[in-house]
C-alpha cells in the first residue's frame, strides 16, 4: 500500500462543535449508583422503560440516552431512558423527565464504551479552550444500538455537554 492509499483509509477524528438544542421530554429510570453497577442499571432501564412507554401508548422518538447530573466519579447520578413524544405517567421506577435546552458542546465518539472517558475529557478541554464553562448537565445519546455480536469499533455515541459563557 502506498502512502496515498493509506491516507485515504485513515479515519478522521470527529471534531467538537457548539450547537443549540431545544428541551426534550424523556422517560427514564433515575438512580445514584456505583460505577461498577452501571451495566446492570443500563440493562434494567433499557428493558423496563420501553415496556412502560409502550403500555401508555407514548412514542419513543430517538435512540437510547443517559443524562448525568454532574461528572461521574465513584458514584453516578444519572437518568437512563429515551426521548419521547410526551410525558409518561410514573410506573414503578420509570418517570418523566427532560433533557435541557440551550448551548451544547457536542462530540461524536466512535468506538467502545470503554474509551468514552477519553472522549469526555477531550470535549471538556475543547469547551474550556473556547472560553466556555461546562455545566453539571451532560448526556450521551447511543446512536448505534449495541448488539452482542457487533464490533465495538462500530459504536457511535453522541456526547452532549451544556455550556455557559
Amino acid at each position: 500500500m502506498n502512502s496515498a492509499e493509506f491516507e485515504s483509509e485513515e479515519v478522521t477524528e470527529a471534531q467538537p462543535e457548539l450547537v443549540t438544542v431545544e428541551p426534550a421530554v424523556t422517560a427514564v429510570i433515575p438512580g445514584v449508583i456505583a460505577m461498577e453497577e452501571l451495566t446492570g442499571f443500563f440493562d434494567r432501564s433499557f428493558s423496563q422503560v420501553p415496556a412502560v412507554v409502550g403500555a401508555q401508548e407514548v412514542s419513543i422518538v430517538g435512540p437510547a440516552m443517559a443524562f448525568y447530573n454532574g461528572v461521574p466519579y465513584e458514584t453516578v447520578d444519572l437518568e437512563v431512558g429515551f426521548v419521547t413524544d410526551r410525558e409518561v405517567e410514573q410506573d414503578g421506577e420509570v418517570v418523566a423527565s427532560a433533557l435541557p435546552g440551550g448551548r451544547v458542546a457536542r462530540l461524536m465518539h466512535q468506538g467502545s464504551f470503554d474509551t468514552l472517558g477519553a472522549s469526555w475529557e477531550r470535549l471538556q478541554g475543547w469547551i474550556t479552550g473556547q472560553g466556555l464553562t461546562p455545566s453539571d448537565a451532560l448526556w450521551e445519546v447511543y446512536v448505534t444500538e449495541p448488539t452482542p455480536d457487533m464490533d465495538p469499533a462500530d459504536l457511535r455515541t453522541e456526547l452532549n455537554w451544556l455550556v455557559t459563557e
Side-chain angles (χ1 to χ4, degrees):
M1 177 182 303
N2 65 40
S3 62
E5 288 174 321
F6 178 74
E7 288 176 19
S8 67
E9 292 181 12
E10 286 182 8
V11 174
T12 303
E13 188 171 17
Q15 296 302 311
E17 61 180 338
L18 195 58
V19 298
T20 301
V21 300
E22 295 296 320
V25 175
T26 59
V28 298
I29 295 180
V32 178
I33 60 170
M35 284 295 277
E36 58 270 10
E37 297 172 6
L38 270 180
T39 300
F41 186 82
F42 273 83
D43 290 346
R44 188 173 83 244
S45 299
F46 292 149
S47 65
Q48 289 181 21
V49 174
V52 168
V53 168
Q56 294 184 22
E57 298 182 353
V58 173
S59 295
I60 293 174
V61 296
M65 47 72 55
F67 177 83
Y68 298 89
N69 295 299
V71 176
Y73 291 106
E74 291 176 10
T75 60
V76 183
D77 181 356
L78 78 165
E79 300 175 348
V80 175
F82 298 86
V83 174
T84 56
D85 66 343
R86 62 186 187 281
E87 288 188 5
V88 295
E89 293 182 27
Q90 182 172 351
D91 185 343
E93 294 181 279
V94 179
V95 300
S97 191
L99 293 176
R103 293 179 70 200
V104 169
R106 178 175 286 165
L107 175 65
M108 186 63 71
H109 170 81
Q110 177 179 334
S112 170
F113 296 136
D114 294 339
T115 58
L116 278 171
S119 289
W120 278 114
E121 288 176 13
R122 181 170 165 239
L123 184 57
Q124 183 176 29
W126 183 85
I127 291 168
T128 57
Q130 301 298 307
L132 301 168
T133 303
S135 75
D136 286 337
L138 52 155
W139 64 96
E140 298 169 345
V141 176
Y142 306 107
V143 177
T144 307
E145 182 178 349
T147 61
D149 58 339
M150 77 180 304
D151 181 348
D154 293 334
L155 289 169
R156 302 290 181 275
T157 307
E158 182 185 88
L159 310 182
N160 297 274
W161 204 327
L162 195 64
V163 297
T164 60
E165 295 291 330

